[in-house]
PDB file of all heavy atoms in Angstrom:
ATOM      1  N   ILE S 109     111.862  77.546 126.489  1.00 89.00           N
ATOM      2  CA  ILE S 109     110.971  78.178 127.460  1.00 89.00           C
ATOM      3  C   ILE S 109     110.322  79.386 126.805  1.00 89.00           C
ATOM      4  O   ILE S 109     110.998  80.220 126.200  1.00 89.00           O
ATOM      5  CB  ILE S 109     111.736  78.623 128.717  1.00 89.00           C
ATOM      6  CG1 ILE S 109     112.380  77.418 129.402  1.00 89.00           C
ATOM      7  CG2 ILE S 109     110.813  79.352 129.689  1.00 89.00           C
ATOM      8  CD1 ILE S 109     113.361  77.799 130.492  1.00 89.00           C
ATOM      9  N   ILE S 110     109.001  79.490 126.921  1.00 93.00           N
ATOM     10  CA  ILE S 110     108.267  80.643 126.409  1.00 93.00           C
ATOM     11  C   ILE S 110     107.550  81.294 127.585  1.00 93.00           C
ATOM     12  O   ILE S 110     106.796  80.636 128.306  1.00 93.00           O
ATOM     13  CB  ILE S 110     107.243  80.224 125.341  1.00 93.00           C
ATOM     14  CG1 ILE S 110     107.947  79.518 124.178  1.00 93.00           C
ATOM     15  CG2 ILE S 110     106.465  81.440 124.839  1.00 93.00           C
ATOM     16  CD1 ILE S 110     107.010  78.788 123.250  1.00 93.00           C
ATOM     17  N   ILE S 111     107.805  82.578 127.785  1.00 93.00           N
ATOM     18  CA  ILE S 111     107.141  83.324 128.845  1.00 93.00           C
ATOM     19  C   ILE S 111     106.079  84.221 128.221  1.00 93.00           C
ATOM     20  O   ILE S 111     106.387  85.032 127.340  1.00 93.00           O
ATOM     21  CB  ILE S 111     108.142  84.162 129.652  1.00 93.00           C
ATOM     22  CG1 ILE S 111     109.133  83.258 130.388  1.00 93.00           C
ATOM     23  CG2 ILE S 111     107.411  85.058 130.652  1.00 93.00           C
ATOM     24  CD1 ILE S 111     110.202  84.005 131.155  1.00 93.00           C
ATOM     25  N   LEU S 112     104.851  84.066 128.662  1.00 96.00           N
ATOM     26  CA  LEU S 112     103.758  84.929 128.234  1.00 96.00           C
ATOM     27  C   LEU S 112     103.409  85.853 129.386  1.00 96.00           C
ATOM     28  O   LEU S 112     103.075  85.394 130.483  1.00 96.00           O
ATOM     29  CB  LEU S 112     102.536  84.096 127.827  1.00 96.00           C
ATOM     30  CG  LEU S 112     101.272  84.894 127.490  1.00 96.00           C
ATOM     31  CD1 LEU S 112     101.498  85.770 126.260  1.00 96.00           C
ATOM     32  CD2 LEU S 112     100.100  83.954 127.266  1.00 96.00           C
ATOM     33  N   GLU S 113     103.464  87.145 129.121  1.00 94.00           N
ATOM     34  CA  GLU S 113     103.252  88.142 130.181  1.00 94.00           C
ATOM     35  C   GLU S 113     102.044  89.002 129.837  1.00 94.00           C
ATOM     36  O   GLU S 113     101.924  89.500 128.713  1.00 94.00           O
ATOM     37  CB  GLU S 113     104.512  89.003 130.292  1.00 94.00           C
ATOM     38  CG  GLU S 113     104.407  90.199 131.172  1.00 94.00           C
ATOM     39  CD  GLU S 113     105.529  91.183 130.909  1.00 94.00           C
ATOM     40  OE1 GLU S 113     106.624  90.772 130.485  1.00 94.00           O
ATOM     41  OE2 GLU S 113     105.297  92.388 131.135  1.00 94.00           O
ATOM     42  N   GLY S 114     101.109  89.160 130.792  1.00 93.00           N
ATOM     43  CA  GLY S 114      99.954  89.991 130.502  1.00 93.00           C
ATOM     44  C   GLY S 114      98.962  90.045 131.652  1.00 93.00           C
ATOM     45  O   GLY S 114      99.037  89.246 132.588  1.00 93.00           O
ATOM     46  N   ILE S 115      98.009  90.984 131.565  1.00 91.00           N
ATOM     47  CA  ILE S 115      97.063  91.170 132.664  1.00 91.00           C
ATOM     48  C   ILE S 115      95.844  90.266 132.552  1.00 91.00           C
ATOM     49  O   ILE S 115      95.196  89.974 133.547  1.00 91.00           O
ATOM     50  CB  ILE S 115      96.609  92.641 132.768  1.00 91.00           C
ATOM     51  CG1 ILE S 115      95.871  93.078 131.501  1.00 91.00           C
ATOM     52  CG2 ILE S 115      97.792  93.552 133.037  1.00 91.00           C
ATOM     53  CD1 ILE S 115      95.265  94.468 131.602  1.00 91.00           C
ATOM     54  N   MET S 116      95.515  89.803 131.331  1.00 90.00           N
ATOM     55  CA  MET S 116      94.243  89.106 131.122  1.00 90.00           C
ATOM     56  C   MET S 116      94.390  87.630 130.768  1.00 90.00           C
ATOM     57  O   MET S 116      93.413  86.980 130.421  1.00 90.00           O
ATOM     58  CB  MET S 116      93.453  89.786 129.986  1.00 90.00           C
ATOM     59  CG  MET S 116      93.116  91.232 130.234  1.00 90.00           C
ATOM     60  SD  MET S 116      91.712  91.416 131.333  1.00 90.00           S
ATOM     61  CE  MET S 116      91.528  93.201 131.324  1.00 90.00           C
ATOM     62  N   ILE S 117      95.580  87.068 130.848  1.00 93.00           N
ATOM     63  CA  ILE S 117      95.783  85.739 130.284  1.00 93.00           C
ATOM     64  C   ILE S 117      95.149  84.613 131.102  1.00 93.00           C
ATOM     65  O   ILE S 117      95.014  83.500 130.611  1.00 93.00           O
ATOM     66  CB  ILE S 117      97.286  85.447 130.052  1.00 93.00           C
ATOM     67  CG1 ILE S 117      98.091  85.564 131.337  1.00 93.00           C
ATOM     68  CG2 ILE S 117      97.849  86.389 129.019  1.00 93.00           C
ATOM     69  CD1 ILE S 117      99.569  85.283 131.141  1.00 93.00           C
ATOM     70  N   LEU S 118      94.740  84.897 132.334  1.00 93.00           N
ATOM     71  CA  LEU S 118      94.042  83.865 133.097  1.00 93.00           C
ATOM     72  C   LEU S 118      92.528  83.940 132.917  1.00 93.00           C
ATOM     73  O   LEU S 118      91.804  83.060 133.389  1.00 93.00           O
ATOM     74  CB  LEU S 118      94.382  83.973 134.588  1.00 93.00           C
ATOM     75  CG  LEU S 118      95.770  83.519 135.008  1.00 93.00           C
ATOM     76  CD1 LEU S 118      95.901  83.557 136.531  1.00 93.00           C
ATOM     77  CD2 LEU S 118      96.079  82.124 134.490  1.00 93.00           C
ATOM     78  N   ASP S 119      92.058  84.984 132.217  1.00 91.00           N
ATOM     79  CA  ASP S 119      90.620  85.146 132.035  1.00 91.00           C
ATOM     80  C   ASP S 119      90.086  84.232 130.946  1.00 91.00           C
ATOM     81  O   ASP S 119      88.888  83.986 130.880  1.00 91.00           O
ATOM     82  CB  ASP S 119      90.299  86.610 131.694  1.00 91.00           C
ATOM     83  CG  ASP S 119      88.814  86.903 131.725  1.00 91.00           C
ATOM     84  OD1 ASP S 119      88.217  86.792 132.815  1.00 91.00           O
ATOM     85  OD2 ASP S 119      88.248  87.216 130.658  1.00 91.00           O
ATOM     86  N   ASP S 120      90.966  83.723 130.085  1.00 93.00           N
ATOM     87  CA  ASP S 120      90.589  82.869 128.966  1.00 93.00           C
ATOM     88  C   ASP S 120      90.872  81.411 129.319  1.00 93.00           C
ATOM     89  O   ASP S 120      92.019  81.025 129.541  1.00 93.00           O
ATOM     90  CB  ASP S 120      91.383  83.283 127.716  1.00 93.00           C
ATOM     91  CG  ASP S 120      90.929  82.567 126.458  1.00 93.00           C
ATOM     92  OD1 ASP S 120      90.927  81.316 126.443  1.00 93.00           O
ATOM     93  OD2 ASP S 120      90.594  83.254 125.473  1.00 93.00           O
ATOM     94  N   CYS S 121      89.819  80.586 129.341  1.00 94.00           N
ATOM     95  CA  CYS S 121      89.976  79.184 129.747  1.00 94.00           C
ATOM     96  C   CYS S 121      90.924  78.424 128.828  1.00 94.00           C
ATOM     97  O   CYS S 121      91.779  77.668 129.291  1.00 94.00           O
ATOM     98  CB  CYS S 121      88.601  78.514 129.765  1.00 94.00           C
ATOM     99  SG  CYS S 121      88.645  76.765 130.237  1.00 94.00           S
ATOM    100  N   GLU S 122      90.807  78.601 127.517  1.00 96.00           N
ATOM    101  CA  GLU S 122      91.678  77.897 126.573  1.00 96.00           C
ATOM    102  C   GLU S 122      93.126  78.319 126.751  1.00 96.00           C
ATOM    103  O   GLU S 122      94.035  77.496 126.643  1.00 96.00           O
ATOM    104  CB  GLU S 122      91.226  78.176 125.140  1.00 96.00           C
ATOM    105  CG  GLU S 122      89.886  77.549 124.780  1.00 96.00           C
ATOM    106  CD  GLU S 122      89.512  77.814 123.334  1.00 96.00           C
ATOM    107  OE1 GLU S 122      90.242  78.570 122.659  1.00 96.00           O
ATOM    108  OE2 GLU S 122      88.495  77.268 122.877  1.00 96.00           O
ATOM    109  N   LEU S 123      93.326  79.600 127.026  1.00 95.00           N
ATOM    110  CA  LEU S 123      94.683  80.098 127.234  1.00 95.00           C
ATOM    111  C   LEU S 123      95.269  79.526 128.515  1.00 95.00           C
ATOM    112  O   LEU S 123      96.445  79.131 128.554  1.00 95.00           O
ATOM    113  CB  LEU S 123      94.657  81.627 127.276  1.00 95.00           C
ATOM    114  CG  LEU S 123      95.984  82.380 127.180  1.00 95.00           C
ATOM    115  CD1 LEU S 123      96.800  81.889 126.010  1.00 95.00           C
ATOM    116  CD2 LEU S 123      95.715  83.876 127.065  1.00 95.00           C
ATOM    117  N   ARG S 124      94.465  79.465 129.563  1.00 94.00           N
ATOM    118  CA  ARG S 124      94.939  78.874 130.829  1.00 94.00           C
ATOM    119  C   ARG S 124      95.408  77.443 130.625  1.00 94.00           C
ATOM    120  O   ARG S 124      96.407  77.008 131.210  1.00 94.00           O
ATOM    121  CB  ARG S 124      93.824  78.880 131.873  1.00 94.00           C
ATOM    122  CG  ARG S 124      93.461  80.246 132.418  1.00 94.00           C
ATOM    123  CD  ARG S 124      92.726  80.120 133.741  1.00 94.00           C
ATOM    124  NE  ARG S 124      91.548  79.277 133.671  1.00 94.00           N
ATOM    125  CZ  ARG S 124      90.331  79.716 133.425  1.00 94.00           C
ATOM    126  NH1 ARG S 124      90.120  81.004 133.179  1.00 94.00           N
ATOM    127  NH2 ARG S 124      89.304  78.877 133.420  1.00 94.00           N
ATOM    128  N   GLN S 125      94.685  76.699 129.811  1.00 95.00           N
ATOM    129  CA  GLN S 125      95.002  75.290 129.611  1.00 95.00           C
ATOM    130  C   GLN S 125      96.308  75.083 128.856  1.00 95.00           C
ATOM    131  O   GLN S 125      96.909  74.009 128.944  1.00 95.00           O
ATOM    132  CB  GLN S 125      93.846  74.595 128.886  1.00 95.00           C
ATOM    133  CG  GLN S 125      92.582  74.499 129.730  1.00 95.00           C
ATOM    134  CD  GLN S 125      91.404  73.927 128.965  1.00 95.00           C
ATOM    135  OE1 GLN S 125      91.457  73.731 127.746  1.00 95.00           O
ATOM    136  NE2 GLN S 125      90.317  73.654 129.671  1.00 95.00           N
ATOM    137  N   LEU S 126      96.750  76.099 128.123  1.00 96.00           N
ATOM    138  CA  LEU S 126      98.020  75.993 127.397  1.00 96.00           C
ATOM    139  C   LEU S 126      99.215  76.190 128.322  1.00 96.00           C
ATOM    140  O   LEU S 126     100.324  75.757 128.015  1.00 96.00           O
ATOM    141  CB  LEU S 126      98.080  77.028 126.267  1.00 96.00           C
ATOM    142  CG  LEU S 126      97.125  76.841 125.086  1.00 96.00           C
ATOM    143  CD1 LEU S 126      97.251  78.022 124.127  1.00 96.00           C
ATOM    144  CD2 LEU S 126      97.408  75.534 124.357  1.00 96.00           C
ATOM    145  N   LEU S 127      98.995  76.844 129.459  1.00 94.00           N
ATOM    146  CA  LEU S 127     100.098  77.221 130.350  1.00 94.00           C
ATOM    147  C   LEU S 127     100.535  76.052 131.218  1.00 94.00           C
ATOM    148  O   LEU S 127      99.713  75.369 131.818  1.00 94.00           O
ATOM    149  CB  LEU S 127      99.671  78.386 131.240  1.00 94.00           C
ATOM    150  CG  LEU S 127      99.269  79.680 130.522  1.00 94.00           C
ATOM    151  CD1 LEU S 127      98.682  80.679 131.512  1.00 94.00           C
ATOM    152  CD2 LEU S 127     100.468  80.290 129.804  1.00 94.00           C
ATOM    153  N   ASP S 128     101.844  75.844 131.302  1.00 89.00           N
ATOM    154  CA  ASP S 128     102.395  74.816 132.187  1.00 89.00           C
ATOM    155  C   ASP S 128     102.533  75.343 133.611  1.00 89.00           C
ATOM    156  O   ASP S 128     102.329  74.610 134.576  1.00 89.00           O
ATOM    157  CB  ASP S 128     103.771  74.365 131.678  1.00 89.00           C
ATOM    158  CG  ASP S 128     103.683  73.709 130.316  1.00 89.00           C
ATOM    159  OD1 ASP S 128     103.031  72.651 130.207  1.00 89.00           O
ATOM    160  OD2 ASP S 128     104.246  74.259 129.348  1.00 89.00           O
ATOM    161  N   ILE S 129     102.907  76.612 133.740  1.00 89.00           N
ATOM    162  CA  ILE S 129     103.085  77.239 135.046  1.00 89.00           C
ATOM    163  C   ILE S 129     102.416  78.613 135.005  1.00 89.00           C
ATOM    164  O   ILE S 129     102.643  79.388 134.066  1.00 89.00           O
ATOM    165  CB  ILE S 129     104.577  77.396 135.403  1.00 89.00           C
ATOM    166  CG1 ILE S 129     105.280  76.039 135.391  1.00 89.00           C
ATOM    167  CG2 ILE S 129     104.738  78.055 136.770  1.00 89.00           C
ATOM    168  CD1 ILE S 129     106.784  76.126 135.564  1.00 89.00           C
ATOM    169  N   LYS S 130     101.612  78.902 136.008  1.00 92.00           N
ATOM    170  CA  LYS S 130     100.891  80.182 136.060  1.00 92.00           C
ATOM    171  C   LYS S 130     101.342  80.947 137.309  1.00 92.00           C
ATOM    172  O   LYS S 130     101.134  80.488 138.431  1.00 92.00           O
ATOM    173  CB  LYS S 130      99.379  79.933 136.086  1.00 92.00           C
ATOM    174  CG  LYS S 130      98.874  79.198 134.851  1.00 92.00           C
ATOM    175  CD  LYS S 130      97.394  78.901 134.920  1.00 92.00           C
ATOM    176  CE  LYS S 130      97.056  77.769 135.888  1.00 92.00           C
ATOM    177  NZ  LYS S 130      97.561  76.463 135.427  1.00 92.00           N
ATOM    178  N   ILE S 131     101.951  82.106 137.094  1.00 90.00           N
ATOM    179  CA  ILE S 131     102.492  82.922 138.177  1.00 90.00           C
ATOM    180  C   ILE S 131     101.698  84.226 138.270  1.00 90.00           C
ATOM    181  O   ILE S 131     101.557  84.939 137.279  1.00 90.00           O
ATOM    182  CB  ILE S 131     103.977  83.260 137.930  1.00 90.00           C
ATOM    183  CG1 ILE S 131     104.796  81.975 137.730  1.00 90.00           C
ATOM    184  CG2 ILE S 131     104.545  84.076 139.081  1.00 90.00           C
ATOM    185  CD1 ILE S 131     106.211  82.236 137.258  1.00 90.00           C
ATOM    186  N   PHE S 132     101.197  84.523 139.453  1.00 92.00           N
ATOM    187  CA  PHE S 132     100.477  85.785 139.668  1.00 92.00           C
ATOM    188  C   PHE S 132     101.350  86.711 140.501  1.00 92.00           C
ATOM    189  O   PHE S 132     101.760  86.354 141.608  1.00 92.00           O
ATOM    190  CB  PHE S 132      99.148  85.533 140.391  1.00 92.00           C
ATOM    191  CG  PHE S 132      98.234  86.723 140.402  1.00 92.00           C
ATOM    192  CD1 PHE S 132      97.217  86.845 139.479  1.00 92.00           C
ATOM    193  CD2 PHE S 132      98.400  87.742 141.344  1.00 92.00           C
ATOM    194  CE1 PHE S 132      96.372  87.950 139.481  1.00 92.00           C
ATOM    195  CE2 PHE S 132      97.564  88.847 141.352  1.00 92.00           C
ATOM    196  CZ  PHE S 132      96.543  88.954 140.420  1.00 92.00           C
ATOM    197  N   VAL S 133     101.650  87.890 139.961  1.00 91.00           N
ATOM    198  CA  VAL S 133     102.458  88.880 140.665  1.00 91.00           C
ATOM    199  C   VAL S 133     101.501  89.828 141.389  1.00 91.00           C
ATOM    200  O   VAL S 133     100.754  90.573 140.761  1.00 91.00           O
ATOM    201  CB  VAL S 133     103.366  89.657 139.695  1.00 91.00           C
ATOM    202  CG1 VAL S 133     104.273  90.612 140.471  1.00 91.00           C
ATOM    203  CG2 VAL S 133     104.209  88.680 138.869  1.00 91.00           C
ATOM    204  N   ASP S 134     101.525  89.786 142.704  1.00 89.00           N
ATOM    205  CA  ASP S 134     100.541  90.484 143.526  1.00 89.00           C
ATOM    206  C   ASP S 134     101.158  91.737 144.143  1.00 89.00           C
ATOM    207  O   ASP S 134     102.115  91.656 144.915  1.00 89.00           O
ATOM    208  CB  ASP S 134     100.052  89.537 144.630  1.00 89.00           C
ATOM    209  CG  ASP S 134      98.724  89.961 145.211  1.00 89.00           C
ATOM    210  OD1 ASP S 134      98.085  90.851 144.630  1.00 89.00           O
ATOM    211  OD2 ASP S 134      98.317  89.403 146.246  1.00 89.00           O
ATOM    212  N   THR S 135     100.597  92.900 143.800  1.00 84.00           N
ATOM    213  CA  THR S 135     101.164  94.172 144.241  1.00 84.00           C
ATOM    214  C   THR S 135     100.047  95.123 144.671  1.00 84.00           C
ATOM    215  O   THR S 135      98.989  95.148 144.047  1.00 84.00           O
ATOM    216  CB  THR S 135     101.970  94.825 143.095  1.00 84.00           C
ATOM    217  OG1 THR S 135     102.922  93.887 142.604  1.00 84.00           O
ATOM    218  CG2 THR S 135     102.699  96.070 143.568  1.00 84.00           C
ATOM    219  N   ASP S 136     100.300  95.908 145.711  1.00 84.00           N
ATOM    220  CA  ASP S 136      99.307  96.870 146.194  1.00 84.00           C
ATOM    221  C   ASP S 136      98.918  97.854 145.094  1.00 84.00           C
ATOM    222  O   ASP S 136      99.749  98.253 144.275  1.00 84.00           O
ATOM    223  CB  ASP S 136      99.852  97.638 147.394  1.00 84.00           C
ATOM    224  CG  ASP S 136      99.960  96.778 148.636  1.00 84.00           C
ATOM    225  OD1 ASP S 136      99.291  95.732 148.675  1.00 84.00           O
ATOM    226  OD2 ASP S 136     100.710  97.157 149.560  1.00 84.00           O
TER     227      ASP S 136
END
Side-chain angles (χ1 to χ4, degrees):
I109 299 169
I110 301 166
I111 296 177
L112 174 64
E113 171 196 332
I115 62 174
M116 300 281 183
I117 58 180
L118 287 186
D119 190 64
D120 187 304
C121 179
E122 291 182 354
L123 193 50
R124 289 200 305 268
Q125 292 175 352
L126 292 175
L127 300 172
D128 297 297
I129 302 173
K130 299 177 286 292
I131 304 170
F132 192 98
V133 184
D134 200 11
T135 307
D136 289 341

